[in-house]
Amino acid sequence: MDSQTSQPSQAPQPPHTFQVDLRGLVDLLSHHLYSSPKVYLRELLQNAVDAITARRAEEPDAPARVRLFAAEGRLRVEDSGVGLTEADVHSLLATIGRSSKRAEGLQDVRSDFLGQFGIGLLACFVVAERIRVVSRSARTPDAPPVEWTARDDGSYTVRTLPHEERPEPGTTVHLVARAGAAEWLTEPRVLALARDFGSLLPYDVRVGDEAVTDLPAPWNRSYPSPANRRVALARHCHELFGFTPLDSVELDLPVAGVRGVAYVLPSAVSPAQRAGHRVHLKGMLLTERGEQLLPDWAFFVRCVLDTDSLRPTASRESLYEDETLAAVREALGERIRSWLTGLAAGDPKRLAAFLEVHHLGVKSLARHDEEMLRTMLPWLPFETTDGRLSLEEFAQRHPVVHFTRTVEEYRQVAPIASAQGVGVVNGGYTYDSELVEALPSVRPGTVVAELDADTVTAHLDTVVAADELALAGFLAAARATLDPLGCDVVLRAFHPLSVPALHLDDRGARHEQARAQAEAQADDLWAGILGSLRGSAPRARLVLNHLNPLIRRISSLNDPELIGTATESLYGQALLMAQRPLRPADSALLNRAFIGLLEWATHGESAHGEPTEEQGGH
């Protein structure tokens, strides 16, 4: 084919227009974008409030009224806003996603608007089969009123009306309920939703004769005294969230356009439980689940606030995660931090009541905030061998602050360490070991040391060499019994006398035990690999108390089998006292020791005169 031959040119195709299936779009809105059909009323209120805002931008003295009338599966919403011309109706209502806030040079006041008219009105199809809008423009007073009627099948009609049909500027929206949705258009439901969404709106909103707005907001009102303010805010919290708060924290960030209050929960909650905060956007309730509003550590408060700076998501039911939200979150966290330090400085009684419930949240904050740790040091409670104390008080009593990393370690050594005068902090609870280790940074000169088996053993009195030598046979039999379990036997003298034996180990010993157990259960390949990982960590120890009368009696036994059974019993009892998890080998040992002791006891009774079957007993 000749390279000079040109291909036939094709005529340009006309552009195609997207066709929108309104039924499918309504299904998308109701099942995926919005969490509940109730948002239809919020969208209607937003449109009405935005229309009034647009009119007042040009006529500051224009009336600002929104009226809702519900009856028999129908709803009528009237506003005194800017209204629409016939051209506006074709441009805005018939074009999905088009916003009246972008038209007519209103970009300068766009930040004053709540939503977008087009998509917001479509949300009404979630509960309505027909929407009728009658509007008259305030910008073009000579333009006739216009009527736009749409059905949920995607069809709509537009016509102009005589002037007397609507003599004043503004808009009226009529809804007719779809099958099964009439309940959403009853007056009690409409009133409840309007108050929930619109209680802080800046205009006069009413459902019938019932007022919806309740201004000023409780946190913006004046009160005779701080005590009266606290009582009023507590009442507001109970009405809103259903609980009476321990305290309230003012949230006032004028630069960020945020004003509200944080209520302190009266009972402890899990740090993993994200609190739901109520966020109003320019007076309209945006969400009751604003989980990302506060830092994670502030899980002990629930907030209600109004903002004009935060950005909503497409559904306007949550907040968009951006730099503004991050800055507001940090600033609100700082306000709660300041409240805590203020309590520490001026109201210790209220602080103590708060920490009794929410010490975990403060500890979480103090881990990463030296100033908070320094402030809270005299107040944060810790479990110690001296009782429940603050780290400050504990450090004043003990030259070395010993701590354990697990609750099990603490339980196994606390009674013994306390009797030897060694102070120990239980660092096994959430955040506690991290805070103990951070202590020197805020309290210079404090010595902090992790308590291990060697430290405890070193504080126990050694036994006179002659006495230990006399018990060499007993100790050898006991060590042989526990050697397969990876446990050594040592003899010491310590208080309290009532403790016959103490099981001591550390994480290294437990890791070695776990490795050895896995090696025993593995195939040849894995056994070889695990064997190569064998560590040199010290083994667990069973410390026998030479001062205990039971140990003295057991150590005088001559029967190696009986010594083995007694040693296993002491080992099992020491494990149970330490509240340590039992390995299968430990459980088997306990069962074996129990049966052995029963056999020995019944054998002993026969030896002391009880008749046996061989002796003619029955």
Side-chain angles (χ1 to χ4, degrees):
M1 185 174 182
D2 190 350
S3 60
Q4 300 297 318
T5 303
S6 60
Q7 297 293 329
S9 60
Q10 295 185 3
Q13 298 294 318
H16 297 280
T17 302
F18 282 106
Q19 299 299 311
V20 176
D21 178 0
L22 189 57
R23 290 186 185 275
L25 182 59
V26 170
D27 180 73
L28 176 68
L29 293 175
S30 59
H31 292 102
H32 300 283
L33 185 63
Y34 296 127
S35 63
S36 166
K38 69 180 182 180
V39 297
Y40 88 92
L41 192 66
R42 183 194 63 197
E43 301 295 347
L44 287 174
L45 288 175
Q46 283 185 347
N47 286 338
V49 169
D50 285 345
I52 293 173
T53 301
R55 184 176 180 184
R56 283 205 157 185
E58 301 175 1
E59 304 176 48
D61 297 329
R65 297 186 307 271
V66 181
R67 297 290 184 267
L68 298 92
F69 303 93
E72 298 180 353
R74 296 172 180 267
L75 176 65
R76 184 172 87 253
V77 182
E78 300 177 353
D79 69 66
S80 57
V82 68
L84 302 171
T85 64
E86 183 177 3
D88 293 334
V89 166
H90 284 288
S91 174
L92 301 176
L93 298 189
T95 305
I96 295 173
R98 181 74 59 84
S99 171
S100 61
K101 286 60 141 186
R102 287 195 292 263
E104 304 295 335
L106 288 178
Q107 293 91 338
D108 294 339
V109 294
R110 181 166 171 74
S111 64
D112 294 330
F113 294 105
L114 296 173
Q116 293 193 340
F117 195 96
I119 195 72
L121 195 60
L122 279 180
C124 294
F125 279 121
V126 173
V127 298
E129 67 175 12
R130 183 162 60 92
I131 302 173
R132 176 171 169 256
V133 178
V134 177
S135 186
R136 180 166 185 171
S137 174
R139 293 197 188 106
T140 312
D142 295 337
V146 60
E147 177 191 72
W148 177 84
T149 303
R151 296 183 176 276
D152 60 3
D153 61 2
S155 64
Y156 73 92
T157 59
V158 178
R159 64 178 182 136
T160 58
L161 302 175
H163 285 278
E164 57 269 17
E165 287 284 334
R166 185 172 183 99
E168 298 294 330
T171 300
T172 301
V173 179
H174 303 261
L175 301 186
V176 177
R178 64 190 305 138
E183 179 192 357
W184 291 102
L185 303 188
T186 61
E187 183 171 346
R189 177 61 68 91
V190 169
L191 178 60
L193 292 178
R195 283 177 171 166
D196 194 37
F197 284 122
S199 62
L200 300 184
L201 289 174
Y203 305 134
D204 179 17
V205 182
R206 296 177 182 272
V207 176
D209 296 327
E210 297 287 338
V212 168
T213 51
D214 184 18
L215 296 176
W219 51 85
N220 286 331
R221 297 173 188 172
S222 298
Y223 298 94
S225 68
N228 290 104
R229 182 179 185 83
R230 190 176 298 120
V231 170
L233 290 178
R235 186 184 306 115
H236 174 251
C237 176
H238 192 274
E239 293 172 353
L240 201 61
F241 295 123
F243 66 86
T244 301
L246 283 178
D247 206 349
S248 55
V249 185
E250 301 283 345
L251 303 177
D252 188 6
L253 304 175
V255 175
V258 174
R259 187 79 172 89
V261 61
Y263 294 116
V264 181
L265 293 166
S267 56
V269 293
S270 167
Q273 179 179 336
R274 302 297 296 272
H277 308 294
R278 287 178 64 94
V279 181
H280 295 256
L281 180 61
K282 304 179 186 73
M284 180 72 73
L285 179 66
L286 180 71
T287 180
E288 298 176 282
R289 301 184 301 275
E291 295 179 352
Q292 70 272 51
L293 186 64
L294 291 181
D296 290 344
W297 57 260
F299 56 83
F300 50 83
V301 299
R302 291 192 68 180
C303 296
V304 54
L305 55 81
D306 190 25
T307 175
D308 57 18
S309 64
L310 298 181
R311 179 181 169 191
T313 58
S315 66
R316 295 196 288 283
E317 293 189 282
S318 60
L319 297 170
Y320 186 82
E321 188 68 52
D322 56 12
E323 293 181 358
T324 302
L325 178 58
V328 168
R329 178 165 52 234
E330 183 177 349
L332 292 178
E334 183 59 38
R335 281 292 304 117
I336 297 174
R337 182 187 289 109
S338 299
W339 167 76
L340 282 171
T341 55
L343 284 186
D347 200 340
K349 186 175 180 181
R350 283 169 64 202
L351 177 63
F354 166 75
L355 290 178
E356 184 68 25
V357 179
H358 295 299
H359 57 272
L360 199 60
V362 180
K363 287 181 177 180
S364 173
L365 171 59
R367 287 183 306 153
H368 309 295
D369 190 327
E370 285 191 1
E371 186 58 37
M372 178 57 63
L373 178 58
R374 185 179 291 107
T375 302
M376 293 291 112
L377 202 57
W379 309 101
L380 287 174
F382 288 78
E383 183 180 356
T384 77
T385 48
D386 292 354
R388 196 163 179 79
L389 299 175
S390 70
L391 287 182
E392 174 69 30
E393 187 175 355
F394 188 82
Q396 291 173 358
R397 297 184 182 187
H398 298 277
V400 178
V401 178
H402 289 99
F403 72 98
T404 63
R405 291 194 181 275
T406 68
V407 175
E408 291 79 8
E409 290 174 355
Y410 178 81
R411 286 171 177 165
Q412 77 181 93
V413 303
I416 309 303
S418 180
Q420 313 310 311
V422 179
V424 185
V425 178
N426 185 354
Y429 295 115
T430 307
Y431 312 133
D432 283 9
S433 61
E434 297 174 71
L435 293 176
V436 175
E437 290 181 296
L439 192 54
S441 66
V442 297
R443 196 178 189 275
T446 303
V447 179
V448 172
E450 184 176 353
L451 189 69
D452 55 20
D454 288 334
T455 304
V456 177
T457 305
H459 280 81
L460 305 180
D461 295 334
T462 57
V463 178
V464 177
D467 291 342
E468 187 165 1
L469 185 60
L471 299 177
F474 162 75
L475 292 174
R479 287 168 181 148
T481 299
L482 296 185
D483 184 68
L485 296 173
C487 182
D488 292 332
V489 178
V490 296
L491 188 66
R492 292 289 187 273
F494 56 88
H495 293 273
L497 300 179
S498 58
V499 177
L502 175 66
H503 182 271
L504 292 178
D505 65 358
D506 53 26
R507 286 190 304 281
R510 289 196 294 277
H511 291 163
E512 177 61 21
Q513 286 179 346
R515 186 208 59 78
Q517 183 178 358
E519 180 182 356
Q521 298 173 351
D523 57 29
D524 291 341
L525 174 61
W526 280 109
I529 295 174
L530 291 170
S532 68
L533 299 176
R534 183 179 295 111
S536 59
R539 305 198 326 159
R541 293 167 220 177
L542 181 67
V543 184
L544 303 180
N545 188 0
H546 187 54
L547 301 180
N548 180 267
L550 176 62
I551 295 297
R552 287 180 176 269
R553 290 196 297 272
I554 292 175
S555 63
S556 65
L557 296 172
N558 295 319
D559 183 349
E561 184 177 350
L562 186 54
I563 290 175
T565 300
T567 301
E568 290 179 336
S569 301
L570 290 170
Y571 175 82
Q573 188 263 354
L575 278 182
L576 294 175
M577 290 299 294
Q579 302 185 42
R580 296 296 307 278
L582 299 180
R583 299 172 296 166
D586 298 329
S587 299
L589 175 144
L590 281 172
N591 290 332
R592 185 170 62 249
F594 179 71
I595 297 300
L597 288 176
L598 285 179
E599 290 179 347
W600 176 81
T602 54
H603 176 74
E605 289 179 0
S606 299
H608 287 85
E610 290 293 332
T612 63
E613 290 188 14
E614 290 80 357
Q615 295 171 325
H618 298 287

